[in-house]
Amino acid sequence: MVGVDAAAADWAGSGLAYLTGPPDGPPDFSRAAVLTQARRVTAEIAELTGVEVDAAMVLAGRAALRGLTRLGSISAGGATRLLPTVDGWCAIALPRPEDIEALAALLETNTTPEDPWCELTRWTATCSAYEVVTRAQLLDVAAAALGEAVPATPVVRRIGDTAEPRDLDGLLVADLSSLWAGPLCTHLLARAGAVVVKVESPARPDGTRRGEPAFFDWMNFGKLSYCVDFDDGALRDLLSAADVVIEGSRPAALRRRRLSVDDVPARAGRVWLRICGHAGQPDRAAFGDDAAVAGGLVGAGPVFCGDAVADPLAGLEAARAVAQSLRRGGGELIEVSMAQVAAGYAALPTSPACDMPVAAPQPPPPSPSAPPLGADNAAVKHIVAEKLGAPC
């Protein structure tokens, strides 16, 4: 009981209880073990890299910056909802304009509904969760059946020769990810001394640039900003030179451009880490809240747990996996699935209801500004040329 009380008190003070539960009811304590386990992961990251990480701030800091609170069956960020089906529950996410545009086809109507969520609720109530997810996938809309994923550790595959065990100091990291999980991983790698190059396409920069500036700065300060067309050979040069590659974009897009892990010339000891929403379905659309639902990581009701919690949990898992691989000598492809990470946390013992007072999430300390898009193009080209032994 002492352990349960300590976990509950930690959950209450972290801001995560404040973010979990019905909007007009008490906060939910059932997932208090999530924070306890996340603290174990951050302790291991500190041991491997020397970087101290406040797990509570990582999980709840974005919500603090955005002023979010718990909304029950609506995600804290508002873009995802838990909806009943004939055989259970599903989550549908509509964070992008193209998601709204796809609704007419999803609902098989002639026009986009005036009240999308009302129409979606009516539709899902006539379908199985599998039918909802299958149809949404055809239209590239992120959707998940509650509890569809099972826990699993990251998949590791040998892709090249190993090197001597290394830490991150001075290593070149090519960061092809966006939003939260991947950028959190590379934020921690940068703090451990890596030279992180944040790669963005001029046509599709990281969507968080349009959001809360303080969150973008928090995740991306200390990285070099490299703006390059993905069809440009310069990106291939960067990937060839990199000691670590973090891939958060869909593998099919990289394969079409011959930039996938199987296309880029091998470098001894390279670690290539791929973050996806769902194991075995790397091109399936997913975001943090629907991936958490897929893993069954929800509060009683069900209600959403925290703020897009699968994102930061996967980011921590990714950082730990990179550091572990480098200690083994690298030469590995590592695949981290947000839904499976969430399923691992969902499998932890649940905690009973509790009436202790809860604190609102606390924001991270102010960060230096992240560089503007493409601000470091010249510096990155120089670094790559030196690494490849080519003329600058």
Side-chain angles (χ1 to χ4, degrees):
M1 182 60 71
V2 172
V4 172
D5 290 343
D10 196 16
W11 185 254
S14 69
L16 290 162
Y18 182 91
L19 293 167
T20 308
D24 54 355
D28 187 299
F29 281 76
S30 62
R31 297 300 181 178
V34 167
L35 180 55
T36 304
Q37 176 60 23
R39 291 201 188 280
R40 296 190 185 104
V41 175
T42 55
E44 187 171 351
I45 290 172
E47 182 179 343
L48 289 165
T49 68
V51 175
E52 298 291 337
V53 187
D54 182 342
M57 188 157 292
V58 166
L59 299 184
R62 187 183 80 154
L65 292 172
R66 297 177 62 190
L68 304 182
T69 187
R70 61 185 181 275
L71 297 174
S73 60
I74 302 174
S75 65
T80 309
R81 298 200 183 189
L82 278 158
L83 303 173
T85 65
V86 296
D87 58 352
W89 291 85
C90 69
I92 296 179
L94 303 176
R96 306 167 295 184
E98 55 263 41
D99 297 322
I100 302 298
E101 294 166 3
L103 288 181
L106 182 65
L107 297 169
E108 298 183 281
T109 60
N110 294 325
T111 60
T112 300
E114 291 185 12
D115 187 340
W117 290 114
C118 181
E119 293 304 315
L120 282 169
T121 302
R122 290 175 183 170
W123 173 63
T124 63
T126 68
C127 304
S128 68
Y130 175 80
E131 289 169 333
V132 171
V133 171
T134 301
R135 185 160 181 81
Q137 280 185 253
L138 293 174
L139 297 164
D140 199 36
V141 172
L146 176 59
E148 66 173 270
V150 297
T153 57
V155 176
V156 179
R157 172 165 69 89
R158 173 67 54 197
I159 57 170
D161 295 335
T162 59
E164 290 298 315
R166 296 178 287 175
D167 59 25
L168 282 149
D169 191 37
L171 296 190
L172 179 60
V173 177
D175 179 8
L176 306 181
S177 69
S178 61
L179 301 179
W180 196 355
L184 170 60
C185 170
T186 55
H187 164 77
L188 299 176
L189 303 187
R191 287 179 57 191
V195 178
V196 177
V197 177
K198 181 173 179 60
V199 180
E200 297 173 82
S201 161
R204 297 191 68 177
D206 189 335
T208 52
R209 283 189 180 273
R210 302 189 302 271
E212 170 56 55
F215 177 68
F216 184 82
D217 290 341
W218 178 29
M219 288 294 103
N220 295 293
F221 81 89
K223 304 175 186 178
L224 300 175
S225 177
Y226 190 44
C227 183
V228 61
D229 191 301
F230 276 42
D231 293 313
D232 192 316
L235 178 54
R236 184 178 183 83
D237 290 342
L238 171 62
L239 299 182
S240 298
D243 300 294
V244 178
V245 177
I246 306 298
E247 174 192 326
S249 54
R250 302 191 189 183
L254 295 180
R255 287 195 298 270
R256 285 197 302 271
R257 295 170 171 84
R258 297 191 59 77
L259 294 172
S260 75
V261 64
D262 297 316
D263 297 316
V264 176
R267 172 176 287 273
R270 175 185 290 140
V271 177
W272 192 299
L273 184 134
R274 176 181 296 153
I275 299 175
C276 66
H278 300 269
Q281 303 174 80
D283 294 307
R284 176 178 169 184
F287 300 95
D289 283 306
D290 55 274
V293 170
L297 186 51
V298 295
V303 295
F304 283 100
C305 176
D307 170 31
V309 70
D311 261 312
L313 291 177
L316 292 175
E317 181 63 53
R320 177 172 66 169
V322 169
Q324 289 173 332
S325 181
L326 289 170
R327 289 288 182 92
R328 293 191 295 266
E332 296 175 335
L333 168 66
I334 304 169
E335 297 181 293
V336 174
S337 154
M338 293 197 297
Q340 288 191 295
V341 169
Y345 280 85
L348 296 170
T350 56
S351 298
C354 181
D355 61 359
M356 68 176 63
V358 303
Q362 293 300 303
S367 302
S369 296
L373 183 65
D376 302 299
N377 276 23
V380 171
K381 290 177 181 178
H382 180 79
I383 291 169
V384 170
E386 284 197 332
K387 190 94 170 177
L388 296 177
C392 296

